[in-house]
């Protein structure tokens, strides 16, 4: 086992270290979500924390880490007698992004359950993490139903596994830590709210601090054991402080004044529900215990608000988490305690004073610039493609609600909420022989398969004799997420301010819909004589919205280049994620210009999509008294549907995919 990087050797990142330590003191805080750019020591800090947790006593041989002094009466390995146990280090269990539901919660042996009535249970990662740390890297890329399962277990302190009426329960109390890079997609607000604390991390821009990061990392890589030994005293001090804070925690007093400040703060920032109030109360209590005090002070409430509220202020995918600290201070002052409970700590704030800041002046072992590239419009020198001909970006119009856009047919892509698909969750539509491990039993089909063989198998009692070959997996139909690829005309003909604002508003509305339906999105723009991928396919719809907002216009209209670039994006994405089906939305007036026979070139490029049966929609942005109908012709070449810009509002744009489905079905029947 490799030596972890010492927690106290991290450089900077005070909020990250404090949030992790508070959860180590009081797991009831509810875990922490660490958001930040790549290379900011998110994973390193979590792994380093595991070495600081005190050892735990467990019942010998218990796969569920029961405490010998108070074993779980419902433990599947029990019952256990109260008595002596064995000590071991607290575990840190990592949940891979591609983990299955059975790997997370455990699995029942359905064959033995049916034939013998035995609850043969193979524990999952939730059981392994009991009384330790459960770490989920890239939690925003985890399937939503898995996130729901682990957050439910974290909230209830127990995990339930049910298969066809057979149920197993075991304790699952752990420190939950998730990390994510917001550029790769956000968590839904409902899931964000389930994490107790959230911290934003970024690499330091101070040269001296970056130098220290590199120096320590190189020293660790050269000699991990020696480097860890040099930080042994600091590690021991923090470990002892965690133990002392845990012992002090039950004696910490949360006065009515502090509770009033907590309630007033949550009300002032209009957070939904009561979870924020409860998390703030637990966090403020843990802060006081960490600082070695038995009373919660106003500074504890303030620090708790900074950790517990920013992510709960997020209402939609385009809102950035954050908190107005001036407003926070005004609220705390207005509802300050009347009885002087919040006298300043004589030692002041900082590492060992009020606010509970962690020791050491250190932070991540790595850093990255994390800078997001600002999309530039494609321009290879064609006249009017840039310079004086370029128009400044205009703001998007007000977004509106759209109806469901779906891809025709039955897919097998990632779970989502858009198009019909065969999924692990949904309504049962049939049965098949399992491919690999059985996950969803089709009981009737299994009994039907086993029934003809009972006499040959020597059945003598009432029980059914079931063999593995009899088991049938339920096939289910639900919804999948798709890839919605926007191909947007950014040429000079689109530069009319009112028109481009309306176009951006429509695309923004579809991006909101894509977020709600768990889609990936991509953005291709074209102008001048070329096209560019402004945003490769991603789950981060807020990144797409940012690219759209800053999109300038100007130059000629190379529709063929835009379609060919989109075709290449789909080809590459098909290799990466073959099960995810795409929907292409082309936004243009259809007036192809530049080069030789630009309209004919656009038609040839469009027929590539039609030949592959690709579902598509063309948003016709042509305006004025004279209409050439070129966008409609382009839609015909694509085998898709055209709609005018005036028809983008509400019901109109949403009705397109019904037409897309019908057009696609007609084309397939003709073929």
């Amino acid at each position: 086992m490799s030596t972890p990087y010492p927690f106290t050797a991290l450089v900077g990142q005070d909020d990250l270290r404090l949030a992790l330590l508070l959860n180590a003191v009081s797991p009831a805080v509810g875990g922490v979500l660490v958001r930040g750019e790549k290379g900011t020591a998110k994973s390193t800090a979590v792994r380093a924390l595991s070495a600081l947790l005190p050892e735990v006593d467990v019942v010998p041989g218990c796969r569920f880490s029961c405490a010998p002094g108070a074993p779980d009466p419902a433990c599947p390995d029990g019952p256990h007698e109260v008595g002596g146990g064995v000590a071991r280090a607290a575990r840190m269990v990592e949940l891979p992004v591609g983990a299955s539901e059975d790997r997370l919660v455990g699995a029942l042996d359905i064959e033995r359950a049916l034939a013998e009535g035995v609850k043969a249970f193979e524990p999952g990662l939730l059981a392994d993490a009991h009384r330790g740390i459960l770490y989920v890297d890239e939690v925003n890329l985890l399937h939503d139903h898995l996130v729901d399962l682990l957050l439910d277990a974290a909230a209830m302190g127990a995990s339930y596994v049910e298969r066809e009426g057979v149920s197993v329960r075991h304790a699952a109390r752990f420190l939950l830590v998730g990390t994510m890079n917001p550029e790769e997609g956000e968590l839904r607000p409902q899931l964000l709210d389930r994490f107790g604390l959230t911290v934003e991390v970024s690499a330091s821009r101070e040269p001296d601090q970056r130098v220290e990061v590199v120096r320590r990392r190189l020293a660790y890589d050269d000699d991990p054991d020696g480097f860890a030994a040099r930080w042994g005293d600091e590690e021991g001090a923090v470990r002892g402080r965690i133990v002392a804070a845990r012992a002090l925690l039950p004696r910490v007093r949360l006065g009515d004044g502090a509770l009033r400040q907590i309630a007033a703060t949550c009300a002032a920032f209009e957070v939904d529900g009561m979870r924020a109030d409860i998390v703030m109360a637990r966090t403020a209590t843990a802060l006081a215990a960490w600082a070695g005090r038995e009373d919660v002070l106003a500074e504890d409430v303030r620090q708790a608000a900074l950790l517990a509220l920013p992510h709960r202020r997020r209402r939609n995918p385009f809102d950035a988490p954050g908190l107005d600290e001036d407003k926070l201070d005004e609220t705390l002052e207005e509802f300050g305690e009347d009885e002087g409970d919040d006298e300043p700590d004589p030692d002041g704030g900082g590492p060992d004073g009020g606010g509970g800041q962690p020791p050491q002046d250190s932070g991540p072992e790595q850093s990255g610039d994390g800078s997001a590239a600002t999309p530039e419009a494609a321009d290879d020198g064609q006249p009017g493609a840039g310079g004086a001909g370029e128009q400044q970006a205009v703001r998007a119009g007000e977004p509106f609600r759209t109806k469901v856009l779906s891809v025709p047919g039955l897919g097998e892509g990632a779970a989502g909420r858009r198009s019909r698909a065969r999924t692990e969750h949904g309504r049962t539509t049939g049965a098949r022989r399992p491919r690999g491990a059985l996950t969803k039993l089709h009981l009737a089909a299994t009994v039907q398969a086993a029934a003809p063989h009972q006499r040959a198998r020597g059945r003598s009692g009432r029980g059914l004799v079931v063999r593995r070959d009899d088991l049938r997996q339920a096939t289910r139909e639900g919804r999948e997420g798709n890839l919605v690829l926007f191909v947007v005309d950014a040429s000079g003909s689109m530069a009319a301010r009112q028109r481009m604002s309306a176009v951006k508003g429509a695309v923004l509305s579809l991006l909101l819909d894509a977020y709600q339906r768990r889609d990936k999105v991509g953005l291709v723009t074209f102008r001048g004589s070329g096209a560019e991928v402004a945003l490769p396919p991603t789950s981060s719809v807020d990144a797409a919205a940012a690219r759209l907002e800053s999109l300038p216009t100007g130059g000629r209209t190379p529709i063929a280049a835009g379609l060919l670039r989109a075709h290449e994006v789909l080809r590459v994405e098909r290799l990466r994620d073959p099960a995810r089906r795409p929907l292409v939305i082309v936004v243009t007036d259809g007036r192809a210009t530049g080069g030789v026979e630009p309209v004919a070139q656009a038609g040839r490029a469009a027929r590539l999509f039609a030949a592959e049966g690709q579902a598509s929609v063309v948003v016709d942005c042509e305006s004025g008294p004279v209409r050439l109908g070129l966008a409609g012709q382009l839609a015909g070449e694509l085998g898709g549907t055209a709609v005018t810009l005036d028809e983008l509002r509400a019901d109109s744009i949403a009705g397109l995919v019904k037409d897309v489905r019908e057009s696609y079905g007609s084309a397939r029947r003709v073929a």
Side-chain angles (χ1 to χ4, degrees):
M1 181 177 177
S2 60
T3 303
Y5 192 92
F7 188 85
T8 51
L10 296 170
V11 180
Q13 305 293 22
D14 288 344
D15 285 345
L16 169 59
R17 293 185 295 128
L18 178 60
L20 291 172
L21 288 169
L22 292 177
N23 275 274
V25 171
S26 176
V29 165
V32 57
L33 176 65
V34 187
R35 300 162 43 92
E37 60 197 30
K38 54 187 175 294
T40 49
K42 300 187 296 293
S43 300
T44 299
V46 178
R47 295 188 177 99
L49 177 68
S50 64
L52 295 179
L53 297 183
E55 289 187 337
V56 294
D57 291 328
V58 298
V59 173
C62 178
R63 297 174 298 167
F64 301 88
S65 303
C66 281
D72 181 6
C75 176
D77 283 355
H80 303 300
E81 294 183 1
V82 177
V86 294
R88 64 160 174 79
R91 294 174 179 156
M92 192 196 77
V93 177
E94 295 193 40
L95 175 63
V97 169
S100 65
E101 180 178 336
D102 283 348
R103 184 72 186 97
L104 176 63
V105 301
L108 286 168
D109 189 330
I110 299 297
E111 183 178 1
R112 292 189 63 191
L114 289 177
E116 305 172 28
V118 175
K119 295 182 181 180
F121 180 67
E122 184 64 31
L125 295 177
L126 291 180
D128 292 341
H130 180 46
R131 304 176 68 197
I133 299 175
L134 180 61
Y135 171 50
V136 189
D137 194 13
E138 306 295 351
V139 65
N140 52 324
L141 303 183
L142 197 65
H143 285 173
D144 283 347
H145 75 281
L146 293 182
V147 179
D148 283 329
L149 284 172
L150 70 90
L151 289 175
D152 281 342
M156 295 186 298
S159 175
Y160 295 85
V161 183
E162 297 189 9
R163 295 287 188 274
E164 304 298 335
V166 181
S167 177
V168 172
R169 173 212 170 274
H170 65 82
R173 291 183 294 276
F174 47 81
L175 193 168
L176 176 63
V177 183
T179 60
M180 60 175 283
N181 184 346
E183 293 179 357
E184 297 172 344
E186 287 283 2
L187 276 173
R188 290 183 289 137
Q190 298 94 322
L191 296 179
L192 280 173
D193 182 56
R194 301 286 292 277
F195 280 93
L197 310 180
T198 294
V199 293
E200 298 279 340
V201 296
S202 60
S204 172
R205 299 300 185 254
E206 292 294 329
D208 290 343
Q209 197 170 70
R210 296 175 74 97
V211 166
E212 187 61 24
V213 168
V214 175
R215 181 181 291 118
R216 293 186 186 184
R217 182 69 206 192
L218 293 178
Y220 170 76
D221 289 341
D222 289 342
D223 182 10
D225 292 335
F227 183 82
R230 290 196 293 275
W231 290 88
D233 292 343
E234 290 82 356
E235 293 283 283
V238 174
R239 189 179 297 109
R241 189 172 173 184
I242 292 174
V243 173
R246 285 184 174 184
L248 178 61
L249 187 65
R251 303 197 303 274
V252 174
R253 186 178 70 91
L254 182 64
D256 290 343
L259 276 173
R260 187 166 54 252
Q261 286 183 316
I262 289 170
T265 300
C266 292
F269 285 98
E270 300 179 350
V271 296
D272 296 331
M274 294 297 298
R275 183 175 283 118
D277 304 63
I278 296 170
V279 170
M280 273 190 65
R282 289 171 173 166
T283 304
T285 303
L287 280 161
W290 176 248
R293 288 184 271 98
E294 294 188 6
D295 289 297
V296 173
L297 306 183
E299 59 206 56
D300 299 323
V301 175
R302 185 182 193 278
Q303 183 67 62
L306 293 174
L307 293 172
L309 295 188
H311 60 296
R312 293 183 166 88
R313 294 274 297 148
R314 193 169 181 267
R315 293 294 196 275
N316 66 60
F318 308 142
D319 291 339
L323 207 64
D324 184 341
E325 294 194 35
D326 290 336
K327 181 178 179 180
L328 173 61
D329 290 336
E330 291 173 3
T331 303
L332 293 176
E333 183 176 354
E334 179 181 355
F335 292 89
E337 295 186 316
D338 300 326
E339 299 175 6
D341 289 345
D342 289 352
E343 291 297 325
D345 191 318
D347 295 329
D352 294 302
Q357 294 294 325
Q360 296 301 321
D361 183 19
S362 30
E365 93 292 5
Q366 296 178 356
S367 60
D369 59 21
S371 57
T374 301
E376 300 176 359
D379 179 9
D380 63 356
Q382 284 286 345
E390 181 173 302
Q391 304 292 322
Q392 284 189 337
V394 299
R395 294 187 63 84
E398 190 68 23
F400 50 85
R401 185 175 181 180
T402 68
K403 291 183 180 177
V404 180
L405 303 175
S406 60
V407 177
L410 189 64
E412 294 184 341
R417 298 180 61 189
R418 184 171 296 278
S419 304
R420 293 174 56 227
R422 298 183 185 91
T423 61
E424 286 293 318
H425 300 271
R427 63 185 182 90
T428 300
T429 58
R432 61 171 173 80
R433 291 182 181 272
R435 305 184 191 109
L438 178 72
T439 55
K440 301 292 182 182
L441 177 73
H442 194 297
L443 183 59
T446 298
V447 172
Q448 187 176 14
H453 309 290
Q454 295 306 294
R455 180 172 297 181
R457 293 173 182 173
R459 174 185 170 185
S460 58
R462 299 179 60 183
L464 192 67
V465 181
V466 179
R467 300 286 186 263
R468 180 160 295 277
D469 289 344
D470 302 326
L471 299 179
R472 294 294 182 267
Q473 174 85 21
T475 57
R476 302 191 175 193
E477 182 178 310
R479 293 281 170 175
E480 67 176 359
N482 297 109
L483 167 60
V484 181
L485 181 62
F486 295 93
V487 186
V488 180
D489 185 347
S491 64
S493 62
M494 300 286 290
R497 179 169 296 272
Q498 185 175 5
R499 182 194 308 173
M500 198 62 195
S501 177
V503 168
K504 286 187 176 183
V507 177
L508 190 65
S509 302
L510 292 170
L511 283 172
L512 278 167
D513 184 67
Y515 166 79
Q516 293 166 350
R517 303 192 184 283
R518 322 293 187 259
D519 293 316
K520 294 179 71 172
V521 295
L523 177 63
V524 173
T525 64
F526 56 91
R527 66 176 184 143
S529 62
E532 70 165 351
V533 181
L535 184 71
T538 176
S539 298
S540 180
V541 295
D542 49 341
R547 301 294 198 276
L548 178 71
E549 193 72 24
S550 61
L551 179 66
T553 57
R556 295 178 177 174
T557 312
I559 295 178
L563 292 177
L564 291 174
R565 181 59 62 91
H567 189 269
E568 176 63 15
V569 169
L570 294 183
R571 185 190 69 80
V572 173
E573 191 64 17
R574 197 175 294 119
L575 296 174
R576 293 174 177 168
D577 192 357
R580 189 180 292 269
R581 298 183 297 160
L583 171 66
V584 177
I585 299 179
V586 184
V587 184
T588 181
D589 58 10
R591 299 183 181 185
T593 57
V596 180
E597 298 183 335
V599 176
Q601 289 182 23
R604 286 193 289 271
R607 286 192 288 275
L608 292 174
F609 291 85
E612 297 173 356
Q614 172 62 59
S616 59
V617 174
V618 177
V619 178
D620 184 357
C621 301
E622 191 175 30
S623 62
V626 179
R627 294 176 178 268
L628 303 179
L630 295 175
Q633 295 178 25
L634 179 64
E637 298 282 3
L638 284 165
T641 302
V643 62
T644 66
L645 191 60
D646 293 337
E647 297 170 337
L648 289 177
R649 305 299 304 175
D651 295 340
S652 300
I653 183 67
L656 289 179
V657 176
K658 178 181 178 182
D659 298 332
V660 171
R661 187 184 299 111
E662 293 173 352
S663 300
Y664 177 83
S666 299
R668 298 282 289 183
R669 287 193 294 273
V670 171

